[in-house]
Amino acid sequence: MNFGESISTCMSKTFTYSGRASRSEYWWFYLFTIIVSWGAQIVSSTIYTTGDPMVSLLPNIISLAFMFPILAVGSRRLHDIGKSGWWQLISITIIGLIPLIIWWASDTKASGDKYNN
């Protein structure tokens, strides 16, 4: 899956937490969200002065807009390696990001499990 396909797939499956997502789909979409977030931060900081409360408005709106798509693709990515999407909750404990990153980067498991749609 290429960059454009992953963006269109993930945005069209914003609230789809079932099924599977390939590594490339997840990481290309994650890269897209990082680029858009950085762009929003740059635009916001050039429009507003430092200390203005509006400087964080655009980046916060962008973060909220991508919250559900990134959770959905993360859940589908975990399904692809045979784990439940609920494992994303361990990211709350900052140290839990380490196993999540390892799992998101792991190779696809063979089909035939309960997450295969």
Side-chain angles (χ1 to χ4, degrees), residues 1 5-6 14 19-20 32 38-39 46 49-50 55 57 66 68-69 75 78-79 86 93-94 111:
M1 180 170 287
E5 288 174 347
S6 83
T14 296
R20 294 171 162 239
F32 172 72
W38 284 352
T46 57
T49 59
T50 306
V55 78
L57 182 65
F66 284 126
F68 289 114
S75 180
L78 287 173
H79 291 170
W86 287 101
T93 67
I94 307 302
S111 62

Side-chain angles (χ1 to χ4, degrees), residues 37-63:
S37 296
W38 284 352
Q41 186 66 46
I42 290 168
V43 167
S44 184
S45 64
T46 57
I47 293 174
Y48 301 105
T49 59
T50 306
D52 190 349
M54 295 296 286
V55 78
S56 64
L57 182 65
L58 182 61
N60 287 339
I61 290 171
I62 296 295
S63 294

Side-chain angles (χ1 to χ4, degrees), residues 27-105:
W27 289 110
W28 280 124
F29 187 69
Y30 192 80
L31 176 65
F32 172 72
T33 61
I34 295 295
I35 290 169
V36 171
S37 296
W38 284 352
Q41 186 66 46
I42 290 168
V43 167
S44 184
S45 64
T46 57
I47 293 174
Y48 301 105
T49 59
T50 306
D52 190 349
M54 295 296 286
V55 78
S56 64
L57 182 65
L58 182 61
N60 287 339
I61 290 171
I62 296 295
S63 294
L64 286 173
F66 284 126
M67 183 176 71
F68 289 114
I70 202 70
L71 285 173
V73 74
S75 180
R76 291 192 312 270
R77 178 70 200 126
L78 287 173
H79 291 170
D80 196 45
I81 62 163
K83 302 229 180 277
S84 171
W86 287 101
W87 277 105
Q88 292 183 94
L89 290 175
I90 66 171
S91 65
I92 294 170
T93 67
I94 307 302
I95 194 76
L97 286 172
I98 295 168
L100 276 175
I101 292 170
I102 292 169
W103 291 337
W104 286 327

